[in-house]
Amino acid sequence: NPTKTFAEIIAAGAGNYSCEATVLAVGSNQVALTDGTDYMFMYNKAKNAVVGTKILLNGAVTQYNGCWEWNDPAFYVSAKDVPVVHPTAVDRSRFLCF
């Protein structure tokens, strides 16, 4: 069961949480996620996350290079083919998250 939103997790800091989110983008080892309140990354060594999938996350959240991320959590698919609306591009060159 989701216990916190991304905004609440970021405000609270590192710890163990559960949350529901949608996959926005998939990189080589990272996945961009949103729950509608904020954005976070997920370390995904298995590379099995798919854009447009709603997932339940359960695990540790830590800060890596100034960005909040789920550190290889357990995740479970709760819905597929969810419409993904990407945010407007913003210059984030000062952040080095990948």
Side-chain angles (χ1 to χ4, degrees), residues 13-87:
N16 290 310
Y17 300 98
S18 62
C19 191
E20 187 172 54
T22 301
V23 177
L24 294 177
V26 178
S28 60
N29 286 321
Q30 290 273 11
V31 176
L33 305 168
T34 188
D35 73 340
T37 67
D38 215 322
Y39 300 90
M40 294 176 74
F41 292 101
M42 175 179 74
Y43 177 67
N44 183 225
K45 67 182 176 190
K47 301 178 178 111
N48 55 352
V50 177
V51 173
T53 301
K54 188 167 279 200
I55 57 176
L56 294 171
L57 300 153
N58 186 22
V61 173
T62 58
Q63 199 170 33
Y64 180 76
N65 283 342
C67 296
W68 289 100
E69 75 170 8
W70 293 85
N71 191 7
D72 200 22
F75 74 88
Y76 311 92
V77 174
S78 60
K80 293 183 178 181
D81 300 322
V82 176
V84 174
V85 178
H86 291 94

Side-chain angles (χ1 to χ4, degrees), residues 4-12 35 37-40:
K4 300 254 186 219
T5 66
F6 280 8
E8 291 169 332
I9 292 168
I10 291 167
D35 73 340
T37 67
D38 215 322
Y39 300 90
M40 294 176 74

